[in-house]
Amino acid sequence: MRPGFSMKNIVVLSGAGISAESGIRTFRDGDGLWRTHRFQDLATPQAWEKNPHLVLEFYNERRKQLFEVQPNEGHKALVRLEQHFITDIVTQNVDDLHERAGSGRVLHLHGELKKARSTKNPNLVYTLDNWELKWGDKCEEGSQLRPHIVWFGEAVPNIGLAIQIVRQADIMIVVGTSLQVYPAAGLLDYAKNSIPVYLVDPKAEAPYYMKNVVTIREKAGIGLPKLVDELIEKYG
Ligand code: NAD
């Protein structure tokens, strides 16, 4: 860090697009999961009530795939930021690729695929050591375990913490998210006025109301390493 400068705080808001190059499908692109599956049948409390076997199978498939994929150059580039800046990642992703790349401060807004929790006591959360969560797998209090995922229609318990993190940002990077799922998409509204915001997404569109936005229309694996070099050169 240069003398006389205090360490800048960078907050990264990531979405499914950052994991696309690792081989995990996004939700809303042409080949996205919600083009071939109805989220109402799989990712809602009603779906769980109606057909828990189908819901378990859907998440088991996703989890199985997660054990087979690796972090990509985009995830790895963000790890380098930590050597120069206070870096927080707020992710909508349920994969663990940021952590496996080596990022230290990762807040998951929509849950974590490799975890299960009790259907009765939400404080009982377990890390799974293999991909399969079965009907009949129970918590220590004897209730069925469900995927530790925030489903459509459920509250987002970490949103308050995410707002606090975004309020501290001196610079924001938004990568691989269509900014369509609330409340996550509204997080940008809490950033300090006119801080630099970098959008990295092949389809990036700057929100009309935001000043100081730089759009980088590239895949995360290409755009992020370049952006990280630039930020280290400019502010690190
Ligand atoms: P989304 O599918 O709505 O949008 C994905 C965005 O990524 C699009 O804007 C697309 O242009 C962009 N993109 C595609 N390939 C890219 C690449 N190589 N580099 C950079 N950007 C790329 O996803 P979202 O906005 O994250 O939607 C939120 C929901 O999707 C969340 O609920 C999240 O939990 C869920 N989700 C998570 C995963 C995961 O954990 N990996 C995967 C699919 C969906």
Side-chain angles (χ1 to χ4, degrees), residues 15-17 21 27-29 92-95 110 176-178 201 220:
E21 287 158 90
F27 276 179
R28 290 173 190 77
D29 284 318
Q92 295 171 78
N93 293 348
V94 297
D95 66 50
H110 294 160
T177 169
S178 60
D201 190 312

Side-chain angles (χ1 to χ4, degrees), residues 68-128:
E68 291 159 5
V69 300
Q70 302 298 331
N72 63 52
E73 294 309 313
H75 299 104
K76 289 180 199 163
L78 296 179
V79 181
R80 281 198 287 130
L81 281 178
E82 289 185 12
Q83 291 153 16
H84 303 268
F85 307 101
I86 301 165
T87 307
D88 283 286
I89 299 179
V90 176
T91 187
Q92 295 171 78
N93 293 348
V94 297
D95 66 50
D96 61 349
L97 296 179
H98 283 303
E99 289 92 338
R100 276 160 58 195
S103 285
R105 288 157 54 132
V106 184
L107 181 73
H108 287 268
L109 283 178
H110 294 160
E112 293 172 72
L113 199 46
K114 282 195 183 163
K115 292 185 178 171
R117 76 165 181 270
S118 165
T119 41
K120 206 166 182 187
N121 178 353
N123 297 320
L124 295 176
V125 178
Y126 304 89
T127 300
L128 299 165

Side-chain angles (χ1 to χ4, degrees), residues 177-198:
T177 169
S178 60
L179 292 174
Q180 284 190 30
V181 177
Y182 281 82
L187 276 173
L188 276 178
D189 299 345
Y190 294 92
K192 283 179 284 199
N193 243 343
S194 67
I195 61 163
V197 177
Y198 297 87

